[in-house]
């Protein structure tokens, strides 16, 4: 199963890099206003052209499959933290109110969660692609996120070693 909490957002990359002594800014490279977390992917102002249609597709699916009783779930399509919970395949109270049961692989609740996960993956991929394009524009055509992180690690390590040398002298 795909877990959205493992998606390599800037917050996840910062956490993974911290044990190596690398300090990574978690700010979203695209909007520059908030930390890039899984819920942020559903709210990033620079990517509204991605998450807006995704939410409309989910709403249309709910309208077609569930009808009016899906109102509590439909309302939460605009809450990024709830979308993150759904993407982690967690059933929420609004799903219970709408009778979206998760009793088997073909139940409405399970199918809805599958659609949320698929849309989340699509949004993450578009965000990562836009982030890579931005990095290449800033750092050069051969740049990748892995390369940029490695350069940052080397730079921070050289700074630490320089500070240590100054202290010893």
């Amino acid at each position: 199963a795909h877990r959205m909490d493992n998606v390599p957002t800037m917050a996840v990359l910062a956490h993974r890099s911290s044990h190596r002594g690398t300090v990574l800014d978690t700010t979203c490279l695209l909007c520059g206003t908030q930390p890039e977390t899984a819920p942020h992917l559903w709210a990033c102002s620079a990517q509204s052209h991605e998450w807006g249609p995704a939410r409309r597709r989910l709403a249309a699916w709910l309208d077609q499959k569930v009808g009016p009783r899906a109102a509590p779930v439909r309302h939460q399509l605009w809450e990024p933290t709830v979308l993150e919970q759904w993407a982690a395949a967690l059933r929420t109270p609004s799903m219970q109110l709408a009778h979206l049961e998760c009793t088997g692989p073909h139940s409405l609740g399970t199918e809805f969660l599958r659609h949320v996960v698929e849309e989340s993956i699509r949004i993450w991929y578009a965000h990562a692609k836009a982030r890579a394009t931005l990095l290449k524009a800033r750092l050069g055509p051969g740049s990748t996120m892995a390369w940029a992180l490695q350069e940052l690690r080397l730079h921070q390590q050289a700074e630490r070693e320089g500070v240590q040398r100054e202290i010893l002298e």
Side-chain angles (χ1 to χ4, degrees):
H2 183 72
R3 298 271 317 194
M4 289 306 290
D5 55 351
N6 290 327
V7 168
T9 61
M10 293 304 289
V12 169
L13 292 171
H15 178 73
R16 289 178 186 170
S17 298
S18 66
H19 74 277
R20 294 185 206 130
T22 304
V23 179
L24 184 62
D25 183 4
T26 62
T27 304
C28 175
L29 294 174
L30 301 183
C31 70
T33 61
Q34 297 179 343
E36 185 187 282
T37 61
H40 176 72
L41 298 179
W42 282 97
C44 180
S45 59
Q47 289 292 98
S48 61
H49 62 281
E50 294 293 339
W51 54 255
R55 286 179 166 145
R56 287 190 285 283
R57 285 189 295 272
L58 290 169
W61 185 89
L62 284 167
D63 290 344
Q64 179 186 9
K65 299 286 185 175
V66 183
R69 76 171 196 262
V73 175
R74 231 175 162 276
H75 174 71
Q76 289 190 320
L77 285 175
W78 301 101
E79 297 179 26
T81 54
V82 174
L83 283 157
E84 179 191 22
Q85 290 172 345
W86 290 337
L90 297 175
R91 191 163 177 248
T92 59
S94 64
M95 289 178 67
Q96 292 170 339
L97 284 173
H99 304 289
L100 286 174
E101 302 298 326
C102 296
T103 55
H106 302 293
S107 63
L108 282 177
T110 304
E111 291 227 359
F112 173 67
L113 292 175
R114 182 178 57 78
H115 284 291
V116 172
V117 168
E118 288 171 356
E119 292 293 351
S120 295
I121 292 168
R122 186 177 292 124
I123 287 169
W124 171 78
Y125 180 75
H127 199 90
K129 189 174 176 181
R131 187 173 58 191
T133 301
L134 183 66
L135 278 174
K136 286 178 186 197
R138 287 184 185 172
L139 304 174
S143 302
T144 64
M145 183 60 109
W147 179 83
L149 288 173
Q150 182 62 27
E151 287 293 309
L152 178 63
R153 276 188 208 104
L154 292 172
H155 177 72
Q156 289 179 352
Q157 182 180 1
E159 282 182 347
R160 280 192 301 274
E161 289 171 359
V163 168
Q164 287 173 348
R165 249 185 267 123
E166 286 177 19
I167 291 171
L168 292 173
E169 293 174 352

